[in-house]
Amino acid sequence: MRCLIGHRARSVAVWLLLGLPVAGPAQEPPEDAPGGELVEVPHPDLSGLKAEIRETLKPAVEYFGSREKTLSGQALGQLYGWLGLHYFAHEQQDAAEACFLNATTLDSGNFRWPHYLAVHYDETGDHRRAAASYTYSLSLNPANPPARIRLGLVALELERPDKAEEQFELVLGAEENNAAALAGMGRLALQRNEPRAAIDYFERALDAQPEADQLHYQIALAYRELGEVDPAEEHLARRGERAPQIADPLLIFMQAFLQGPEAFIERGDEALKAGNPDEAARVFGVAAAVAPADIDARLRLAQTLAALGRSAEAHGHLEQALEIDPLHGAANYLKATQLEHAGQEKLAIGHYRAAANADAADLVSRARLGILLIRDGKYAQAAEALRKVVATEKAGADAWYFLGLAELAQGRCDEGGAALESAVRLSPSDPRALQSLSRVYSTCGSATEEQQAQSLLVAEELYQRYPGRHTSATLAMAMAANDRYEDAVELQTQAIFEAIKAEDEEGQRELYADMQRYQKGEPARRAWPEDSPIFMPPRLGAGQAQAQVAE
């Protein structure tokens, strides 16, 4: 794979590579800084690496290759930086250096890339370039104590004590007990032949970070300078290998690239179970950063961010997941729910359909597809989608109920009645299914006398439990089906009165149509009028629970 891109610009990366000094706090290098093209990345031969390293780097390199030609400018720079983190974490230093150089060139306002580049130079012993890179990084982000400490330590190696002292004092001015900065001041004091001051700094550093047992050796050297043998021997006996640790968030983040996303996804899931969504979002974010092509990580992050009210961020991660795999079932489902919440039902239908096609076992997506198709007036399509749900043993009451509505909307009362009977068997106390089934038994020409009698019993119970316009009209319908027209007229009058009070003119017209039939001694013809609100089942609202489409 060739990573040399023809991109002319003032190259901060080349400037840092040469180790030139950085002037001022501006984000751009000086006018006389040399410009140039991006450097070529010497990608390692993955086949020659250990299996565990190869398994981590291979998908990273492949993802880089899939995105490299589609990006430019800052976005391409961030892609280079991301690959550099993978290489750096796995000790592929030459490739990491080239990636960070290109990232610094293209994403020139981002302090992270020159910081990582500086650490690379620091670890490989190129202190001159490390100093230049740390200095440039600090010009972009002065509030970075780890960079100042590292710059101070590099300055000591370059025998620039005044520069080192400046950096350590800036850190200690904000964090007086910073162990690494105190240890740096101790080393500086030793260089200046000030052993008593050095001991003070080293002991303060030990107090701040007792595990940094390497400091005992430094203290022993200072006591030897003073000619105090006993304390020198005592500290020499206690010396160890652990140096004062620099709490560098950027390097801590880089260590995550040694692991795959699975470990962070697991930690994020644990944080959610523990009721800590903020921590879960942070950990899922690390997983997505380590493996941008891992859709599971992105979806978990998107869902968690959405739950935290960070909808714009959630939307961005979801869009990236769909960009990676437009046919991904869970990604399409999540997108569909977002669109449905926003009232964009026609778009939601397409994503629910894609989610259902991606996973035949996804009953929820197929059920939501059917419900939105009912709302869209596409009843035959809705019934087709819902039949696939109820064909499984896991189908719940709601799936049968909405299938019943889709059949009734097409005038198929026998099929609708059969579906509603299944809904009632699964949920015997569901008032929606009971009311619709009572109306079917009261209006369907194939209903038996037993079913008509049953419709009256159900309607009377519903009216007692939920007195109101709709149960009154349902009871009137059942009365008429059982030749009790005077009672039907009385109950229908009550329902009309309630509609008048509600100023529902459309509802009044529906009720008057059936009233005229009852007055003529005729039963109602349809369980629900064609334009009844019953055929507009509610869409999902933000935070609303899913319908029970599966047991």
Side-chain angles (χ1 to χ4, degrees):
M1 182 189 312
R2 184 169 174 78
C3 294
L4 185 61
I5 308 296
H7 176 84
R8 294 292 300 178
R10 288 190 212 143
S11 177
V12 180
V14 173
W15 174 46
L16 294 176
L17 179 62
L18 295 174
L20 298 177
V22 179
Q27 295 186 7
E28 290 291 331
E31 290 296 326
D32 60 350
E37 296 182 344
L38 301 184
V39 300
E40 188 168 8
V41 177
H43 294 285
D45 179 4
L46 298 182
S47 65
L49 301 177
K50 293 180 179 179
E52 59 269 23
I53 297 177
R54 185 169 60 250
E55 289 174 4
T56 302
L57 286 183
K58 187 173 184 290
V61 174
E62 290 175 348
Y63 179 76
F64 177 87
S66 71
R67 302 284 291 167
E68 174 192 5
K69 302 300 183 184
T70 68
L71 301 176
S72 62
Q74 184 182 34
L76 180 58
Q78 291 172 355
L79 182 66
Y80 270 115
W82 171 82
L83 183 61
L85 287 169
H86 273 285
Y87 281 145
F88 197 164
H90 291 89
E91 300 181 353
Q92 304 302 308
Q93 292 283 17
D94 291 342
E97 176 188 7
C99 285
F100 290 144
L101 283 168
N102 291 341
T104 304
T105 296
L106 292 166
D107 189 17
S108 59
N110 193 331
F111 77 96
R112 294 169 178 81
W113 311 131
H115 182 85
Y116 285 123
L117 190 60
V119 174
H120 158 74
Y121 289 138
D122 203 347
E123 292 186 354
T124 54
D126 193 339
H127 300 305
R128 182 167 172 260
R129 287 174 177 162
S133 297
Y134 282 132
T135 302
Y136 181 61
S137 178
L138 284 165
S139 76
L140 300 176
N141 179 27
N144 186 5
R148 293 204 178 279
I149 296 170
R150 294 180 185 279
L151 177 57
L153 294 174
V154 168
L156 286 178
E157 298 295 333
L158 293 172
E159 298 182 354
R160 298 178 59 190
D162 292 344
K163 182 67 173 178
E165 183 176 25
E166 175 189 1
Q167 300 306 312
F168 296 143
E169 286 184 343
L170 283 170
V171 173
L172 293 172
E175 305 174 33
E176 63 179 355
N177 293 320
N178 187 295
L182 288 167
M185 289 295 288
R187 287 180 56 188
L188 183 62
L190 275 180
Q191 286 186 9
R192 290 173 170 172
N193 295 317
E194 299 172 357
R196 190 64 66 186
I199 290 171
D200 179 63
Y201 281 122
F202 288 137
E203 288 183 342
R204 286 173 59 191
L206 262 177
D207 287 341
Q209 205 173 104
E211 64 275 15
D213 50 11
Q214 191 184 84
L215 291 172
H216 288 291
Y217 178 73
Q218 301 288 343
I219 296 172
L221 292 180
Y223 275 118
R224 281 183 178 179
E225 288 291 324
L226 292 169
E228 300 181 20
V229 177
D230 289 343
E233 293 296 329
E234 177 187 345
H235 281 282
L236 197 61
R238 297 170 63 188
R239 69 178 179 179
E241 299 297 326
R242 188 173 178 84
Q245 298 299 298
I246 302 173
D248 190 339
L250 293 183
L251 293 191
I252 293 171
F253 174 68
M254 186 195 68
Q255 292 301 310
F257 284 69
L258 288 169
Q259 306 176 51
E262 295 80 11
F264 296 99
I265 291 174
E266 183 177 344
R267 285 172 53 190
D269 288 341
E270 290 173 356
L272 285 179
K273 290 178 183 177
N276 191 347
D278 289 298
E279 172 64 10
R282 187 189 69 79
V283 176
F284 288 144
V286 174
V290 171
D294 190 294
I295 295 182
D296 288 341
R298 286 208 178 274
L299 291 183
R300 280 174 165 82
L301 178 57
Q303 290 175 303
T304 307
L305 290 172
L308 290 169
R310 295 159 62 180
S311 56
E313 295 175 74
H315 176 77
H317 286 288
L318 178 56
E319 290 302 311
Q320 290 181 58
L322 285 169
E323 182 181 344
I324 295 167
D325 184 358
L327 301 179
H328 192 274
N332 274 284
Y333 171 75
L334 185 56
K335 179 66 174 179
T337 60
Q338 288 185 353
L339 291 168
E340 189 176 354
H341 291 160
Q344 300 180 51
E345 297 175 21
K346 291 187 181 297
L347 293 176
I349 285 173
H351 285 282
Y352 277 131
R353 183 175 280 116
N357 290 339
D359 182 2
D362 182 1
L363 302 185
V364 174
S365 292
R366 202 172 295 281
R368 290 311 307 173
L369 170 63
I371 291 168
L372 289 194
L373 287 169
I374 292 174
R375 287 180 59 86
D376 199 33
K378 296 182 171 62
Y379 303 122
Q381 292 182 37
E384 181 183 0
L386 290 163
R387 284 192 205 101
K388 292 180 180 178
V389 178
V390 301
T392 69
E393 295 180 356
K394 295 182 178 180
D398 281 330
W400 284 105
Y401 169 70
F402 288 118
L403 175 58
L405 290 187
E407 299 288 16
L408 291 179
Q410 299 176 77
R412 294 158 57 91
C413 68
D414 289 337
E415 293 81 354
L420 291 169
E421 287 172 353
S422 294
V424 170
R425 278 196 298 272
L426 290 171
S427 184
S429 60
D430 184 345
R432 301 169 307 163
L434 287 169
Q435 179 169 245
S436 295
L437 186 58
S438 175
R439 286 180 172 233
V440 168
Y441 286 165
S442 298
T443 57
C444 193
S446 61
T448 65
E449 291 185 3
E450 182 181 353
Q451 288 174 329
Q452 290 172 339
Q454 186 178 355
S455 74
L456 182 56
L457 292 175
V458 171
E460 285 176 334
E461 182 179 351
L462 288 173
Y463 182 72
Q464 293 297 321
R465 290 168 57 191
Y466 311 103
R469 184 210 316 182
H470 300 295
T471 54
S472 179
T474 299
L475 181 55
M477 196 175 286
M479 290 289 189
N482 285 274
D483 296 327
R484 294 174 56 178
Y485 290 105
E486 290 185 6
D487 292 331
V489 169
E490 181 180 346
L491 286 161
Q492 195 75 351
T493 301
Q494 181 179 332
I496 291 171
F497 178 68
E498 294 295 331
I500 292 172
K501 287 198 302 181
E503 299 181 354
D504 182 356
E505 295 183 3
E506 183 176 343
Q508 293 173 45
R509 284 193 295 272
E510 294 174 1
L511 293 168
Y512 274 125
D514 280 341
M515 169 69 90
Q516 291 174 339
R517 297 188 62 80
Y518 303 156
Q519 289 171 336
K520 295 176 183 178
E522 299 174 0
R525 288 181 177 175
R526 292 179 63 99
W528 303 100
E530 293 181 5
D531 55 354
S532 171
I534 198 72
F535 300 121
M536 286 293 287
R539 62 171 177 258
L540 290 178
Q544 179 180 341
Q546 293 287 351
Q548 186 184 350
V549 297
E551 293 179 326

